[in-house]
């Protein structure tokens, strides 16, 4: 009787992961650990803010190191328990994931600083900073994971954390907004889970690199088309794409302004990122068939956001519609297709994360000065706050996509890519949306800043650290507009990694895939 052949364990286990591979999971481990630590010392409220700010600063440094590493040497993978995929769970980070994780960390750091004056002791006692760190664990995990079921898990983590943040304070309006926010997101999560189960039934794996190597560039088939539609619907709800965008302006105006700013900067972008990762890298054939539908959704989302903003008098609701319009711009890159268009969308995503967060900060400080978020009662800010007015003008021009600010270059790249592929209707929609946003922004500037105040209100003193957080984000937007080349190069590298995932696959499987 012949002796059984020895098992080749090198095909199943990682013998000794490289020390630098731990860098891939460090952002998630750091946020979860520190979030739990802050929850454990909930009675020592005075320690929460400094510890959370220090943690988020460290997170930004780690993400910057991660971005430097993957942009020079290619994607990195860390497998859990040393089990190689498809048996084990993998964290795989490429330029796209690292770039967005770093932008998210910087936005969260600015939010933690702005919260010093915006979040009172009572709300801190109910866990603002622990929820913020858990939220960042979910966001970082979603950007860095290489496993689609884990992407679902990180969506759940950020959903639970964001639900905790939105109800801080327990006001009736917040509960109402949280119900709308939570209900539709739960529907989207259920659709996502169904799609994940269907995906596993087809491929027998949930590792993204494994799926990408099995799918290749085969043309669209019925199972893949069904999967693509399910994923598009689920991520579209989370990204607030038309027609399932109504929950966003109905809920984002209810929490504290710091929470709204973080939601506007982070949450919908995770949905768009997931759409890019799954549809472009895993199902390119199905996406090609779906492109006209994605284009229609992008146009309607842009127009719904820009027209809706004009009709609002509450500044927070106006910003909610601008978030929606920005999602439409990002989706237009997906519909156009190609590296240039997708790079433009990635560039626009980073711009939107920074500028929308800054705009919410701006509105918070405007309300502090004028006593209300209502545009009808605002006025005279140019006279009482020249610095705030200058920052407001920069941010309005940036979100409208006018030069020389950060919103201009990705929109120019998108319009160029659309015209190159004869998608003039998408180019026209992007320009029309920009015009409508410019109109709405001009209305805000004229009424809130330039118009004389109807009632004299003793202006409140603006918190220094809040102004600093706003000024830093605005400076980043201006710097990206004046010097766009580094971001454009990184965005192009990120888009190339999605369209040609060979290096991503090789970072997970060292041997060629059949």
């Amino acid at each position: 009787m012949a002796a059984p052949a020895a098992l080749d364990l090198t095909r199943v286990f990682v013998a000794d992961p490289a020390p630098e591979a731990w860098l891939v999971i460090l952002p998630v481990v750091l946020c979860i650990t520190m979030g739990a630590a802050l929850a454990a010392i909930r009675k020592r409220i005075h320690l929460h803010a400094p510890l959370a700010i220090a943690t988020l600063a460290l997170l930004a440094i780690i993400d910057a190191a991660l971005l430097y590493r993957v942009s020079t040497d290619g994607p990195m993978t860390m497998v859990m328990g040393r089990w190689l995929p498809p048996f084990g769970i993998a964290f795989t980070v490429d330029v796209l994931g690292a770039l967005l994780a770093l932008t998210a960390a910087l936005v969260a750091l600015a939010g933690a600083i702005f919260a010093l004056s915006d979040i009172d002791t009572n709300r801190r006692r109910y866990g603002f900073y622990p929820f913020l760190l858990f939220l960042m664990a979910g966001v970082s995990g979603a950007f860095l994971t290489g496993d689609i079921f884990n992407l679902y898990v990180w969506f759940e983590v950020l959903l639970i954390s964001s639900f905790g943040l939105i109800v801080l304070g327990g006001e009736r309006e917040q509960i109402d907004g949280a119900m709308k926010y939570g209900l539709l997101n739960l529907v989207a999560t259920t659709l996502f889970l169904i799609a994940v189960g269907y995906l596993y039934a087809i491929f027998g794996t949930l590792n993204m690199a494994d799926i990408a190597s099995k799918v290749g560039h085969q043309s669209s088939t019925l199972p893949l088309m069904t999967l693509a539609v399910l994923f598009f619907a689920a991520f579209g709800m989370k990204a607030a794409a038309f027609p399932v965008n109504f929950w966003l302006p109905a809920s984002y105006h209810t929490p504290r302004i710091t929470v709204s700013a973080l939601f506007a900067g982070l949450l919908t972008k995770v949905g768009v990122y997931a759409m890019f990762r799954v549809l472009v890298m895993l199902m390119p054939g199905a996406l090609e068939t779906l492109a006209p539908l994605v284009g229609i959704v992008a146009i309607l989302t842009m127009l719904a956001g820009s027209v809706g903003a004009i009709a609002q008098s509450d500044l927070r609701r106006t910003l909610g519609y601008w978030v929606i319009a920005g999602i439409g711009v990002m989706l237009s890159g997906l519909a156009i297709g190609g590296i240039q268009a997708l790079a433009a969308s990635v560039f626009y995503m980073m711009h939107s994360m920074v500028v929308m967060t800054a705009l919410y900060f701006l509105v918070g400080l405007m309300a502090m000065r004028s006593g209300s978020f209502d545009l009808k009662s605002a006025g005279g800010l140019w006279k009482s706050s020249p610095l705030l007015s200058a920052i407001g003008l920069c941010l309005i021009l940036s979100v409208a996509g006018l030069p020389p600010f950060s919103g201009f270059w990705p929109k120019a790249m998108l319009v160029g890519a659309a015209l190159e592929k004869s998608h003039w209707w998408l180019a026209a929609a992007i320009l029309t949306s920009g015009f409508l946003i410019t109109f709405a922004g001009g209305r805000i500037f004229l009424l809130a800043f330039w118009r004389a105040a109807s009632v004299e209100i003793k202006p409140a003193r603006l918190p220094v650290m809040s102004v600093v957080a706003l000024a830093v984000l605005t400076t980043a937007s201006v710097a990206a507009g004046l010097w766009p080349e580094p971001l454009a190069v990184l965005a192009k590298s990120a888009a190339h990694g999605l369209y040609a995932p060979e290096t991503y696959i090789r970072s997970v499987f060292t041997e060629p895939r059949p």
Side-chain angles (χ1 to χ4, degrees), residues 134-190:
F134 289 137
L135 178 77
M136 283 310 297
V139 171
S140 301
F143 287 147
L144 303 181
T145 186
D147 183 285
I148 203 151
F149 182 74
N150 266 269
L151 180 62
Y152 163 78
V153 171
W154 295 118
F155 262 114
E156 287 297 291
V157 172
L158 71 88
L159 177 63
I160 294 167
S161 308
S162 57
F163 202 78
L165 285 170
I166 204 171
V167 298
L168 276 179
E171 296 170 9
R172 183 175 180 177
E173 189 183 33
Q174 289 177 309
I175 303 298
D176 181 59
M179 289 301 293
K180 292 167 184 166
Y181 170 80
L183 185 63
L184 202 66
N185 272 281
L186 285 175
V187 172
T189 300
T190 305

Side-chain angles (χ1 to χ4, degrees), residues 46 101 177 308 383:
H46 64 286
K383 184 179 176 183

